[in-house]
Amino acid sequence: MLKELDLTTLNTALSTASPQEVIRWAVDTFGARLAMQSSMQKTACALMHMAAEICPEIEIIFVDTGVHFPETLALRDEYQQRFHLNIRTVAPKLTWEEQFAKYGRHLYLYDDEFDPPGYRECCRLRKEIPFLEAVQGRFDAVIGGLMRAEGGTRSRIDVVSPDPRLPGYKIYPLAHWSEEQVDAYIREHDLPVHPLYAHGYASIGCHTCTTPIREGEPKRAGRWRHIREAHPERYKDGLYCGINLEDRRPRGS
């Protein structure tokens, strides 16, 4: 049975806890019903290393969309081998080619707001559904890497939030950390990071929808650039895939 948590009191208490303390609390609270999700970006690298030291048996869920950069998959393999992590790779039901055959076009090229189905449906099919199918019925809580410092819809996240899709809780040990703290942790522990960071990429997803950022652009400017730049007035805060429920909540809600 899903544990009932007093989220107001809990989030106040955890707001000053270190990420490691949050992870230990989550392990003590949920035990084998706890998982971690990983995108293989910097925050995920820090969390996977913490997990290797605190709870190496935890299942780490990685969604292979079928259109990741080869470097993303290589980094997954490096973490699995170097730190002996329990990484479980899950995939969409349809291959990239089967999805094209079913819909008659590449969904990522279209904006669902104007010509559905589009990139949001592509993300739902290739990211959200595989993730939820891997979690539902098996886990009551999932650790993720969102930070308030990322801004936009993430600027108000709590350390622990309900996610009715699971159903259960999302836990964000890095919620109150800065990007500088993540980078410092990675340097301190000499952790491998995605090589595309060195080539102007700031936020890395599928190769179909990720580009380097230009000087002066925000970090998410390279995600779904083709959609965002077609309607900049609508997408000032950037775009998200929807695998994290918090990214789908409008500001002020």
Side-chain angles (χ1 to χ4, degrees):
M1 181 178 294
L2 184 65
K3 293 179 180 291
E4 292 278 346
L5 300 177
D6 180 349
L7 293 179
T8 300
T9 301
L10 179 61
N11 278 304
T12 298
L14 294 178
S15 65
T16 57
S18 70
Q20 293 91 335
E21 289 170 336
V22 173
I23 293 173
R24 290 190 184 97
W25 166 83
V27 171
D28 291 343
T29 303
F30 296 102
R33 302 286 292 181
L34 176 70
M36 177 179 287
Q37 68 183 107
S38 177
S39 63
M40 300 299 153
Q41 298 195 70
K42 285 183 180 180
T43 53
C45 291
L47 288 172
M48 287 190 294
H49 181 261
M50 293 176 190
E53 295 189 330
I54 298 170
C55 49
E57 72 284 354
I58 189 173
E59 185 168 302
I60 299 173
I61 299 168
F62 171 74
V63 180
D64 183 357
T65 64
V67 282
H68 276 307
F69 289 97
E71 293 90 340
T72 305
L73 303 180
L75 189 65
R76 172 203 59 187
D77 295 344
E78 182 174 2
Y79 268 85
Q80 189 162 26
Q81 294 163 12
R82 178 172 168 180
F83 300 107
H84 308 289
L85 293 169
N86 179 24
I87 298 177
R88 178 188 176 200
T89 298
V90 297
K93 286 185 171 64
L94 299 179
T95 67
W96 189 246
E97 294 75 20
E98 289 169 342
Q99 182 173 297
F100 178 85
K102 179 177 180 178
Y103 291 94
R105 64 184 189 179
H106 284 306
L107 301 183
Y108 77 91
L109 294 172
Y110 299 87
D111 187 342
D112 306 67
E113 292 290 324
F114 302 95
D115 187 11
Y119 82 95
R120 291 181 177 85
E121 179 65 6
C122 189
C123 291
R124 190 181 74 86
L125 293 169
R126 309 203 71 77
K127 286 187 176 182
E128 184 183 13
I129 290 178
F131 167 69
L132 292 178
E133 288 182 342
V135 172
Q136 289 169 340
R138 300 183 64 230
F139 301 107
D140 294 332
V142 179
I143 295 171
L146 301 192
M147 302 189 304
R148 289 188 172 191
E150 294 175 274
T153 56
R154 300 179 178 182
S155 62
R156 296 181 179 88
I157 62 168
D158 289 318
V159 175
V160 185
S161 300
D163 190 334
R165 301 173 304 168
L166 304 185
Y169 301 97
K170 291 297 294 292
I171 300 170
Y172 298 114
L174 305 178
H176 299 289
W177 263 26
S178 65
E179 293 179 12
E180 290 75 17
Q181 286 174 292
V182 174
D183 287 340
Y185 184 92
I186 287 171
R187 287 193 302 271
E188 178 185 355
H189 298 280
D190 192 26
L191 301 181
V193 297
H194 205 298
L196 290 184
Y197 286 126
H199 298 280
Y201 291 78
S203 177
I204 303 168
C206 298
H207 70 74
T208 52
C209 303
T210 306
T211 62
I213 61 171
R214 303 162 187 150
E215 186 175 355
E217 286 188 323
K219 289 187 176 295
R220 291 197 68 86
R223 303 292 295 274
W224 300 280
R225 182 183 294 278
H226 56 293
I227 299 293
R228 184 179 55 79
E229 291 186 348
H231 297 280
E233 73 287 352
R234 293 178 63 89
Y235 304 125
K236 295 178 182 178
D237 290 333
L239 298 173
Y240 300 89
C241 68
I243 195 171
N244 300 302
L245 187 63
E246 291 79 3
D247 291 333
R248 294 156 57 172
R249 292 172 180 159
R251 286 189 177 187
S253 64

